[in-house]
Amino acid sequence: MTYEVYRDWILEKNLPLGSGPIVDLVAGSAAGGTAVLCTYPLDLARTKLAYQVSDTRQSLRGGANGFYRQPTYSGIKEVLAMAYKEGGPRGLYRGIGPTLIGILPYAGLKFYIYEELKRHVPEEHQNSVRMHLPCGALAGLFGQTITYPLDVVRRQMQVENLQPMTSEGNNKRYKNTFDGLNTIVRTQGWKQLFAGLSINYIKIVPSVAIGFTVYESMKSWMRIPPRERSKPA
């Protein structure tokens, strides 16, 4: 929704971006940033719940050793409440810096690549599902590959409070996004920036492909007139 709104606004204001793929790049980036700002606390809660660790505590009862596990969080509400208690509103947006730095180029490239690929498709195949699926898949593939290292830093910053304390008595390992990138490369090697990328392809590539395909199909089903085709780059 916001992509279409930003795109129309850019064209109406006659900004010096032309009417080609640069408009899709800027509108896509702005749309991705808007979506992150609106939904980030839920993404933070999802990551913390997925990465939480359980404490194993030892108790003595009648000379016997017993162990029990206590989850760090019991649900989304507790995650959000604890994050707010620890850092106020800023606590709910811990790690949003690398998220925005990652989502702006990712969302922009995703829309840019998809729209650019569509421009080279013959007019008679513009509404074909067999065209939307590969265009969306390639858009997700390239966008995710280029921005994945920032996603790695984002996840590590989100779960810092679940990590062991450092020698300085805190568990914040990275000052900012670029410090996180440098630290990971220095201590774990550059390959760590792409750890899990192949698994992410299994999720992202079909997700983006299906998302674009359903979006285009719904526009066609609702009889929304197609936009005027802009000149290819």
Side-chain angles (χ1 to χ4, degrees):
M1 182 197 73
T2 54
Y3 164 72
E4 297 286 358
V5 170
Y6 287 133
R7 190 180 190 281
D8 291 342
W9 181 81
I10 292 172
L11 295 176
E12 288 174 1
K13 295 297 182 180
N14 294 319
L15 298 180
L17 299 175
S19 60
I22 299 301
V23 174
D24 299 313
L25 182 66
V26 175
S29 297
T34 302
V36 165
L37 291 173
C38 293
T39 62
Y40 186 79
L42 294 175
D43 182 58
L44 178 70
R46 176 185 65 85
T47 302
K48 287 181 176 292
L49 287 171
Y51 281 78
Q52 69 178 343
V53 295
S54 299
D55 295 329
T56 302
R57 300 182 179 180
Q58 184 176 8
S59 62
L60 298 176
R61 293 182 179 177
N65 291 338
F67 297 90
Y68 66 93
R69 297 181 180 275
Q70 181 179 359
T72 307
Y73 304 109
S74 61
I76 295 177
K77 290 181 63 177
E78 185 177 356
V79 175
L80 297 178
M82 291 185 66
Y84 186 85
K85 183 178 179 181
E86 292 172 359
R90 294 184 62 180
L92 296 175
Y93 286 86
R94 171 67 181 167
I96 195 172
T99 304
L100 284 174
I101 293 174
I103 199 64
L104 293 179
Y106 170 68
L109 286 170
K110 182 176 69 174
F111 281 101
Y112 169 85
I113 294 171
Y114 178 74
E115 294 292 341
E116 185 60 27
L117 290 173
K118 278 179 57 181
R119 290 185 181 95
H120 297 280
V121 175
E123 188 71 33
E124 61 269 21
H125 298 298
Q126 280 291 314
N127 294 324
S128 171
V129 172
R130 289 182 295 178
M131 182 279 295
H132 295 145
L133 282 172
C135 288
L138 288 173
L141 178 71
F142 288 115
Q144 182 66 23
T145 302
I146 295 172
T147 61
Y148 188 75
L150 296 170
D151 195 46
V152 172
V153 176
R154 171 185 66 84
R155 289 196 303 269
Q156 294 202 18
M157 289 184 71
Q158 285 180 333
V159 299
E160 277 179 342
N161 66 323
L162 302 178
Q163 304 297 328
M165 290 290 183
T166 63
S167 57
E168 288 79 15
N170 63 72
N171 49 13
K172 293 184 179 181
R173 296 178 294 172
Y174 310 133
K175 299 177 181 178
N176 50 53
T177 303
F178 297 105
D179 179 57
L181 290 171
N182 290 330
T183 302
I184 291 175
V185 171
R186 186 176 65 253
T187 60
Q188 305 176 48
W190 66 269
K191 290 184 177 181
Q192 185 62 29
L193 294 176
F194 294 91
L197 179 59
S198 59
I199 298 176
N200 221 43
Y201 282 153
I202 299 175
K203 179 188 74 171
I204 292 295
V205 173
S207 173
V208 175
I210 293 171
F212 274 122
T213 301
V214 173
Y215 177 65
E216 297 285 3
S217 298
M218 289 296 295
K219 286 173 64 177
S220 177
W221 178 71
M222 297 172 69
R223 298 181 181 179
I224 297 176
R227 298 194 303 259
E228 181 181 353
R229 299 188 70 179
S230 55
K231 298 178 181 180

